[in-house]
């Protein structure tokens, strides 16, 4: 048997140079694997520990399309800069486990229809076996639909979200912390599609410990930022001095929020999308549908189990 941490890397194929991405993995894990014992021998059972690290890799081209048909020999993996031989390789096409985690505060109210309609693009492109859950958060996360393959039930859950009565608090990291804990019991490829402004009113202790939680998690986060929609100026309306000042302050807050989202997503091998229009939302969800379906799984045996954080780099040979 093997033990390890599963992570997803998003790589971009470039004909001019090797595509690579960095992934921070926590200390290597191991599980004991019992050796076979001959029935003719009465010796005590022999147990050995075998360390394995699993790295999930997503490869896209310059147009963000998934690159299919890559083989074991196309990949090179480095542990702290040292090349490691692959002990296993698999092109993963198992059902995806997707959490639609949506900020339900009043700020989303004015473009909620675009957001929910565009989510249909994601649901339509998923495979029948893919499972979807819907979570709404403001102060705390609230499960609106548990994992199901029923995409129509997911559509109904999204349409019934209430964006008016949300709290002023937007405890993003605390809510995400709780969701990651709940996903530990869910097997398979797990992705959180986080639709949010990125604004976080969580207590600082939660924000500080979230990175550690993400490092140890096998969940990929694909964040869809609503910041561009929120800070759009009203058309054909002349703003007062106070309104211009308020808008400038909101812009600064949302810029910092987007930076935080990028940091959160990158730790998990995910990415951040910043759609500016309904068509952008459509394209975003179409790409997400492809990413959650396609993945390569690489495995290697670390030289030693030292309990330290390692930097894993994956390269595609010949590009």
């Amino acid at each position: 048997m093997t033990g390890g941490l599963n992570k997803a890397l998003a790589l971009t194929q470039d004909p001019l140079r090797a595509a690579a991405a960095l992934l921070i993995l926590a200390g290597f894990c191991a599980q004991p694997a019992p050796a076979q014992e001959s029935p003719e021998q009465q010796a005590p059972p022999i147990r050995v520990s075998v360390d394995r690290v699993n790295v999930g890799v997503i490869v896209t081209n310059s147009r963000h399309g998934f690159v299919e048909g890559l083989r074991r020999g196309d990949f090179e993996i480095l542990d702290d800069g040292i090349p490691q031989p692959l002990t296993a390789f698999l092109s993963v096409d198992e059902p995806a486990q997707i959490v639609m985690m949506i900020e339900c505060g009043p700020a989303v109210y004015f473009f909620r229809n675009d957001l929910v309609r565009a989510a249909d693009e994601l649901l339509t492109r998923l495979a029948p076996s893919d499972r979807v859950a819907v979570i709404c958060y403001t102060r705390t996360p609230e499960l609106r639909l548990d994992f199901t393959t029923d995409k129509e039930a997911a559509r109904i859950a999204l349409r019934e979200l209430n964006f008016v009565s949300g709290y002023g608090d937007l405890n993003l990291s605390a809510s995400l912390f709780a969701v990651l804990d709940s996903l530990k019991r869910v097997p398979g490829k797990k992705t959180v599609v986080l639709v949010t402004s990125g604004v976080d009113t969580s207590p600082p202790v939660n924000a500080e410990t979230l990175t550690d939680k993400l490092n140890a998690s096998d969940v990929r986060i694909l964040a869809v930022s609503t910041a561009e929609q929120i800070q759009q100026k009203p058309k054909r309306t002349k703003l007062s001095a106070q309104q211009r000042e308020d808008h400038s302050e909101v812009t600064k807050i949302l810029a910092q929020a987007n930076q935080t989202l990028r940091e959160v997503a990158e730790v998990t091998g995910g990415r951040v999308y910043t759609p500016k229009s309904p068509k952008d939302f459509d394209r975003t969800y179409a790409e997400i549908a492809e990413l959650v379906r396609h993945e390569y799984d690489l495995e290697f045996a670390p030289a030693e189990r030292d309990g330290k954080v390692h930097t894993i780099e994956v390269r595609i040979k010949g590009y």
Side-chain angles (χ1 to χ4, degrees), residues 103-112 163-164 170 197 226 229-230:
E103 177 188 313
C104 289
V108 185
Y109 175 80
F110 295 103
F111 55 92
R112 68 194 185 285
F163 296 95
V164 178
L170 295 173
S197 65
T226 60
Q229 295 283 320
I230 291 174

Side-chain angles (χ1 to χ4, degrees), residues 10 19 56 91 96 223 302:
S91 181

Side-chain angles (χ1 to χ4, degrees), residues 221-257:
I221 296 177
L222 300 175
V224 181
S225 171
T226 60
E228 290 289 341
Q229 295 283 320
I230 291 174
Q231 63 184 325
Q232 285 183 1
K233 296 180 180 179
K235 295 181 179 179
R236 300 177 182 176
T237 300
K238 186 176 181 180
L239 301 181
S240 66
Q242 183 61 51
Q243 287 174 323
R244 289 195 298 271
E245 183 178 342
D246 291 343
H247 186 272
S248 176
E249 184 63 26
V250 168
T251 299
K252 292 178 182 178
I253 293 173
L254 293 177
Q256 179 58 49

Side-chain angles (χ1 to χ4, degrees), residues 100 102 116-126 132-134 145 148-161:
M100 296 287 294
I102 300 175
V116 172
R117 179 192 55 76
D120 277 347
E121 188 73 21
L122 171 59
L123 297 174
T124 300
R125 290 171 177 260
L126 294 177
V132 180
V134 177
L145 179 70
T148 179
T149 58
D150 187 345
K151 307 307 188 295
E152 185 57 32
R155 290 186 178 93
I156 293 173
L158 288 169
R159 291 167 188 162
E160 291 180 345
L161 293 178

Side-chain angles (χ1 to χ4, degrees), residues 2-314:
T2 61
L5 297 176
N6 294 309
K7 290 279 187 177
L9 289 175
L11 303 185
T12 300
Q13 191 180 38
D14 190 330
L16 299 179
R17 63 179 185 275
L22 296 182
L23 177 67
I24 304 300
L25 294 179
F28 302 132
C29 304
Q31 291 180 325
Q36 296 293 327
E37 182 182 3
S38 171
E40 299 177 357
Q41 297 178 344
Q42 300 300 320
I46 300 174
R47 296 183 181 276
V48 295
S49 294
V50 181
D51 288 342
R52 293 291 185 270
V53 174
N54 293 85
V55 182
V57 180
I58 295 171
V59 184
T60 58
N61 57 29
S62 58
R63 292 176 292 181
H64 304 294
F66 179 74
V67 179
E68 299 181 274
L70 295 178
R71 300 182 179 183
R72 181 173 183 155
D74 295 320
F75 291 91
E76 182 181 14
I77 192 165
L78 296 88
D79 174 13
D80 281 344
I82 302 175
Q84 301 292 328
L86 295 181
T87 55
F89 170 82
L90 180 65
S91 181
V92 181
D93 192 26
E94 64 180 9
Q97 316 294 320
I98 303 157
V99 177
M100 296 287 294
M101 182 175 173
I102 300 175
E103 177 188 313
C104 289
V108 185
Y109 175 80
F110 295 103
F111 55 92
R112 68 194 185 285
N113 292 333
D114 291 340
L115 184 154
V116 172
R117 179 192 55 76
D120 277 347
E121 188 73 21
L122 171 59
L123 297 174
T124 300
R125 290 171 177 260
L126 294 177
S129 58
D130 293 336
R131 300 199 306 160
V132 180
V134 177
I135 291 177
C136 180
Y137 85 91
T138 50
R139 182 176 296 171
T140 58
E142 180 181 347
L143 180 65
R144 295 299 181 88
L145 179 70
D146 207 346
F147 280 108
T148 179
T149 58
D150 187 345
K151 307 307 188 295
E152 185 57 32
R155 290 186 178 93
I156 293 173
L158 288 169
R159 291 167 188 162
E160 291 180 345
L161 293 178
N162 186 348
F163 296 95
V164 178
S165 60
Y167 293 97
D169 292 335
L170 295 173
N171 292 338
L172 171 57
S173 58
S175 297
L176 189 56
F177 197 109
V179 170
L180 293 177
D181 276 340
S182 68
L183 289 176
K184 288 180 179 179
R185 302 183 293 273
V186 178
K189 296 187 302 181
K190 293 169 284 189
T191 301
V192 172
V193 179
L194 178 61
V195 184
T196 176
S197 65
V199 175
D200 192 2
T201 59
S202 301
V205 63
N206 286 336
E208 293 172 359
T209 56
L210 181 62
T211 299
D212 292 336
K213 176 72 67 175
L214 294 171
N215 275 328
S217 172
D218 59 352
V219 179
R220 177 174 60 242
I221 296 177
L222 300 175
V224 181
S225 171
T226 60
E228 290 289 341
Q229 295 283 320
I230 291 174
Q231 63 184 325
Q232 285 183 1
K233 296 180 180 179
K235 295 181 179 179
R236 300 177 182 176
T237 300
K238 186 176 181 180
L239 301 181
S240 66
Q242 183 61 51
Q243 287 174 323
R244 289 195 298 271
E245 183 178 342
D246 291 343
H247 186 272
S248 176
E249 184 63 26
V250 168
T251 299
K252 292 178 182 178
I253 293 173
L254 293 177
Q256 179 58 49
N258 266 342
Q259 177 60 33
T260 300
L261 282 181
R262 281 191 287 272
E263 294 171 358
V264 167
E266 288 174 0
V267 170
T268 69
R271 59 183 61 176
V272 176
Y273 300 87
T274 55
K276 300 179 180 180
S277 68
K279 289 185 177 180
D280 286 344
F281 272 107
D282 289 340
R283 285 190 288 266
T284 292
Y285 283 123
E287 181 176 325
I288 288 175
E290 292 296 314
L291 291 179
V292 300
R293 288 293 303 155
H294 300 104
E295 190 171 310
Y296 294 99
D297 185 62
L298 313 180
E299 178 184 277
F300 74 97
E304 61 177 330
R305 181 173 56 178
D306 55 16
K308 299 179 180 179
V309 174
H310 287 232
T311 297
I312 307 302
E313 182 178 356
V314 178

